[in-house]
Amino acid sequence: MEEENLPENERLQIQLIRELDAEELEIEEVDEHHDLSSDDDSDNQDVASASYVTFNTSLASRHTYLGEIDDAYHRMSFLDGGRILTLPMIDLEGVVLFPDATLPLRIIEPRMVAAVERSMAQTNTGYMIAVVRIVNRSPSIGFRLGTPQFARIGTTAEIRQFKRLEDGSLNLVARGQQRFLLRRYWVDADFVPNAEVQIINEDEPLRTPRAAFAQLASVPNPSHNHRPAPLHPDEDEEEEKYWEERSSDSSSDDDLVLDPLNMRPIRGSLASSPVEQFKKETGLAAHTRKGSYQAPLAFWPRWVYELYDSFALARRAAEIWKQVIGLPSLDGLVKNPGSLSFRIASKLPLSDSTRQDLLEVNGISYRLQKEIQLLESFDRVRCRSCQVLIGRRRDMVVMSTDGPLNAYVNPNGYVHEIMTLTRASGLALIGPAVTEHSWFPGYAWTITRCATCESYMGWLFTAIGPTLRPRSFWGIRSSQVLDDAS
């Protein structure tokens, strides 16, 4: 239907929604029919399917290349939002840590070893460190690196596994806990980096209030067995089923719901709201039952609520993830939208700068909205320096149970986040294949650079044994890619 033919109140709603979505991500549009190479492979070829991978993907997620490593046997409850505290700081270049994400570390520098030892000696904050991403550096002077510029939002990490080696270095595995605002940082007299951080008070997931819609009793027609048309023309059968299940749930007084009159979050079930009173006075409340259709009783139609309903967005994001990425399944996190939003953000095969933007988003619903948009649009992987095409979304292969993008640490202590692809173009191999310290046991690795600008892009992993599948794949550094959309 043309907008000119819509009633005035509906045109006003559309205009308001467009204003609310003014923060929409800007994504470049490119020709979706452009192929990665001259190959005639079909776009629907699923090279990243579970049956194609015979490698034990749990080996990569357990970081077995670190050798034997002991559990730290110390767990700490979450800190209160708004709390200000001082923690030893670890800064990483090209790595973004999210809550619930795993971070492997090899600590070699004496000052960083001292930072970890100090964190494990703390009694009030447990084995906790502050992890921040280096956003930029000032120009280097000779062999001296430039002064780093840190991101304003980081993540606390709890040391879960720990091992001291004979040379005094440390192998450890940490897990992201909570986001924080970096207030200030300094290096003390022992050359240990410290950070004063303020724990971010995360919001609660929003849900659509039951009082915003009334149930309409079904009127059976003996001559027809088909269901009546849905309220919204874009609503499919699966969405109807979901809404029917949601409408049967009772909102508790502790739930955050959207006020049906002004779309602001408030606490409670709106049992005494004007809309609920209208339902009682008109008798609609007495004629509702599971399986009946919804009639809007507020100014905003149902589809507007679903734009900001954290649970509806979580369900949609998990479904798109299943279609685009595949593994691991995120269906188990749909009932916890906050955890789901962080899991998707940490595993999206995108640049570190894009994921840092997601880490800094306040609000579960807003974060999920941006993630859905990215999942639907991202397609091409390009070299950040020269923008040459490296790979496509259809070339992704999941080589870890954690997902298509993960952090790994090399023997020199450098942490790299890599996305894994079965095919790539525009890359040149440097040096021989090496089997020692492989992040993927059974695969040898070879350094690869961009053939155009010679930027360090990552590695080619080649199977040693005859039974491993895939026979080879590429690990591309997220810090060296430029995101591109379809």
Side-chain angles (χ1 to χ4, degrees):
M1 179 183 295
E2 298 293 338
E3 290 189 14
E4 292 78 6
N5 299 328
L6 292 174
E8 183 177 356
N9 64 329
E10 292 189 17
R11 282 191 280 109
L12 176 60
Q13 293 172 11
I14 293 174
Q15 180 181 352
L16 291 173
I17 293 304
R18 287 172 177 168
E19 294 176 358
L20 289 173
D21 288 339
E23 296 182 346
E24 193 172 1
L25 291 177
E26 296 182 3
I27 296 181
E28 176 187 358
E29 295 184 1
V30 297
D31 182 10
E32 64 180 0
H33 300 294
H34 177 71
D35 198 0
L36 176 64
S37 64
S38 58
D39 296 339
D40 294 330
D41 296 340
S42 172
D43 284 356
N44 59 12
Q45 179 184 8
D46 187 9
V47 296
S49 65
S51 60
Y52 179 77
V53 177
T54 61
F55 171 71
N56 184 356
T57 54
S58 67
L59 296 177
S61 61
R62 296 202 306 267
H63 301 279
T64 55
Y65 57 89
L66 291 175
E68 294 185 3
I69 193 166
D70 303 322
D71 288 335
Y73 297 112
H74 188 283
R75 297 292 182 270
M76 181 183 174
S77 59
F78 283 108
L79 302 173
D80 293 334
R83 178 177 174 181
I84 298 175
L85 67 158
T86 299
L87 295 172
M89 186 179 78
I90 291 183
D91 51 87
L92 299 172
E93 201 158 0
V95 176
V96 184
L97 180 65
F98 284 84
D100 297 327
T102 300
L103 177 65
L105 294 170
R106 177 168 170 76
I107 309 298
I108 299 176
E109 292 183 68
R111 67 186 187 94
M112 301 309 295
V113 171
V116 172
E117 291 175 339
R118 182 176 297 181
S119 72
M120 299 187 71
Q122 295 175 136
T123 57
N124 58 337
T125 56
Y127 299 169
M128 191 169 292
I129 53 178
V131 179
V132 294
R133 170 177 170 261
I134 298 176
V135 177
N136 199 1
R137 286 185 183 272
S138 62
S140 301
I141 302 177
F143 294 100
R144 183 179 178 181
L145 290 176
T147 303
Q149 176 186 350
F150 301 120
R152 65 185 187 92
I153 302 295
T155 304
T156 62
E158 186 181 52
I159 298 173
R160 296 292 182 89
Q161 294 176 297
F162 174 90
K163 183 73 171 182
R164 184 183 297 277
L165 305 183
E166 294 181 356
D167 61 0
S169 62
L170 306 175
N171 283 349
L172 60 91
V173 176
R175 189 171 185 85
Q177 294 294 308
Q178 293 172 274
R179 294 190 307 150
F180 63 75
L181 173 66
L182 180 63
R183 292 168 57 93
R184 63 189 183 99
Y185 56 90
W186 69 95
V187 177
D188 62 20
D190 297 325
F191 301 102
V192 175
N194 294 271
E196 183 182 79
V197 304
Q198 182 174 14
I199 303 299
I200 293 177
N201 189 17
E202 304 289 356
D203 68 330
E204 297 182 43
L206 297 173
R207 69 170 71 239
T208 302
R210 295 172 56 214
F213 298 90
Q215 294 279 22
L216 297 180
S218 300
V219 181
N221 189 330
S223 61
H224 298 283
N225 293 323
H226 66 272
R227 299 163 63 101
L231 288 172
H232 192 277
D234 296 331
E235 182 182 61
D236 57 19
E237 184 175 351
E238 184 180 357
E239 289 176 333
E240 292 181 47
K241 180 180 178 182
Y242 167 73
W243 188 254
E244 292 167 1
E245 293 174 352
R246 290 278 293 109
S247 63
S248 64
D249 297 336
S250 59
S251 301
S252 69
D253 291 338
D254 293 330
D255 285 341
L256 270 181
V257 297
L258 293 169
D259 190 325
L261 301 179
N262 57 24
M263 291 299 291
R264 294 182 178 178
I266 62 174
R267 191 169 302 277
S269 59
L270 299 181
S272 60
S273 68
V275 176
E276 189 67 23
Q277 287 295 116
F278 174 77
K279 288 173 62 178
K280 292 179 180 179
E281 294 172 2
T282 57
L284 285 173
H287 293 88
T288 60
R289 68 177 182 86
K290 181 178 177 67
S292 57
Y293 288 94
Q294 302 283 324
L297 297 179
F299 174 77
W300 302 97
R302 170 188 159 185
W303 63 272
V304 176
Y305 282 95
E306 293 192 343
L307 288 176
Y308 300 93
D309 186 311
S310 302
F311 296 89
L313 289 169
R315 175 174 166 270
R316 183 182 173 196
E319 185 63 30
I320 298 175
W321 175 276
K322 185 185 302 182
Q323 298 170 2
V324 175
I325 307 295
L327 298 174
S329 173
L330 301 182
D331 293 343
L333 294 176
V334 170
K335 294 182 179 180
N336 191 341
S339 295
L340 177 68
S341 70
F342 286 134
R343 178 69 63 85
I344 292 177
S346 67
K347 299 305 173 185
L348 272 174
L350 297 171
S351 67
D352 59 327
S353 58
T354 297
R355 287 181 297 108
Q356 178 68 41
D357 291 340
L358 290 173
L359 180 67
E360 296 182 3
V361 172
N362 291 320
I364 297 173
S365 295
Y366 291 111
R367 190 180 304 115
L368 285 169
Q369 286 174 353
K370 292 182 180 294
E371 290 167 353
I372 289 171
Q373 187 181 30
L374 287 168
L375 281 168
E376 292 177 332
S377 61
F378 91 91
D379 181 30
R380 302 180 182 186
V381 178
R382 296 184 181 273
C383 172
R384 171 173 289 181
S385 300
C386 66
Q387 302 187 17
V388 69
L389 183 63
I390 300 298
R392 296 286 294 269
R393 179 175 68 187
R394 66 167 180 260
D395 302 320
M396 285 188 309
V397 59
V398 178
M399 297 298 294
S400 169
T401 53
D402 288 337
L405 183 141
N406 293 281
Y408 303 93
V409 61
N410 68 16
N412 297 319
Y414 291 97
V415 182
H416 299 279
E417 283 187 323
I418 64 170
M419 59 188 73
T420 45
L421 307 172
T422 55
R423 293 193 307 166
S425 67
L427 300 178
L429 300 178
I430 306 296
V434 181
T435 57
E436 290 81 7
H437 200 83
S438 176
W439 298 329
F440 304 91
Y443 286 87
W445 53 270
T446 307
I447 295 175
T448 181
R449 296 183 181 273
C450 175
T452 302
C453 66
E454 298 186 350
S455 296
Y456 177 24
M457 296 300 299
W459 303 266
L460 171 66
F461 293 89
T462 309
I464 301 172
T467 60
L468 280 180
R469 297 290 185 277
R471 297 301 299 159
S472 65
F473 63 93
W474 303 83
I476 306 299
R477 300 168 60 212
S478 66
S479 61
Q480 195 50 42
V481 303
L482 177 70
D483 301 324
D484 204 348
S486 58

